[in-house]
Amino acid sequence: MHGTAVRPRSADPKRQAIVRAARKSFVSEGYAATRIEPIAREAGVSTATLYALFDGKAGLFSAVIDDAAEDFSHQMAGVRTIEGDARQQLTSFAEAYAGFMGDPFIRSVFRLVMAERPRFEAVALRFFEKGRAEFGATLIGILVAQSESGGLKPIARPSWAAGNLMGMLEHPVFLVPLVTGDEIRVRRPLAVVVEDAVETFLARYGA
């Protein structure tokens, strides 16, 4: 972004209330139609307080994206603690990743960035790269551990194998709705998408 400072996530309840209200507004109204005053009103703060915490609407948008990235980081922390065999760990990962990529907010951010690409490209790339890196690193760790323990076949290229599983999840839950519109639902329920992807992966890499 052009000259917009990125402030770290804070436990300040006023700031968090503003970010949550802004997230809803950006998703439902779009960037151009979003106005600061209604966000401040919904968050229960004055516009002066909002401007003291954020560098205008662009700074608020950046904060919304970074806050969402933190939410998904916390989500991944839970996946990393799952114990079990290869199928259990892969299913846990796939459910979390499909939920991430299938979240309408993710698609809304992507659409917002496409519409405002010159201004928000760096913000969006930071968001998507952080999300994908968080999930990718977690999955690679699962694959390496399961391969070493005998739960999976030896995997020469764990990053490539991880990309295969993630791609099987991304296509139906992210790319298809992105192209066809959120009102068109994927024919397969999320649980079926996850099961099919894990089964296909285990057919190739299962011990």
Side-chain angles (χ1 to χ4, degrees), residues 107-123:
R107 292 193 295 275
S108 296
V109 169
F110 193 85
R111 293 187 184 108
L112 284 170
V113 171
M114 288 192 295
E116 302 285 340
R117 188 178 182 87
R119 185 180 304 181
F120 293 116
E121 183 173 14
V123 175

Side-chain angles (χ1 to χ4, degrees), residues 6-94:
V6 178
R7 297 186 174 95
R9 188 175 185 175
S10 168
D12 181 351
K14 289 184 179 179
R15 188 180 190 279
Q16 284 301 97
I18 293 169
V19 169
R20 297 298 179 181
R23 178 190 289 202
K24 290 193 294 183
S25 183
F26 283 127
V27 168
S28 62
E29 304 294 333
Y31 180 82
T34 291
R35 296 171 54 241
I36 292 296
E37 292 77 10
I39 292 173
R41 188 162 53 247
E42 181 173 342
V45 302
S46 67
T47 54
T49 296
L50 189 152
Y51 280 115
L53 293 170
F54 302 96
D55 299 330
K57 186 162 71 169
L60 185 53
F61 183 82
S62 179
V64 165
I65 304 306
D66 290 336
D67 185 77
E70 288 297 321
D71 283 346
F72 293 122
S73 292
H74 293 315
Q75 183 179 347
M76 280 321 306
V79 173
R80 284 190 285 268
T81 63
I82 294 295
E83 299 292 336
D85 59 20
R87 183 183 300 277
Q88 290 171 318
Q89 289 194 316
L90 291 174
T91 298
S92 175
F93 169 84

Side-chain angles (χ1 to χ4, degrees), residues 163-207:
N164 280 348
L165 179 57
M166 293 168 77
M168 285 189 286
L169 298 164
E170 288 168 7
H171 184 268
V173 304
F174 177 75
L175 293 177
V176 171
L178 182 70
V179 173
T180 60
D182 290 329
E183 67 278 2
I184 305 297
R185 295 190 175 276
V186 179
R187 292 180 180 178
R188 291 183 295 162
L190 190 65
V192 175
V193 171
V194 167
E195 182 180 4
D196 287 349
V198 171
E199 287 295 334
T200 302
F201 188 86
L202 288 174
R204 169 66 177 84
Y205 293 103

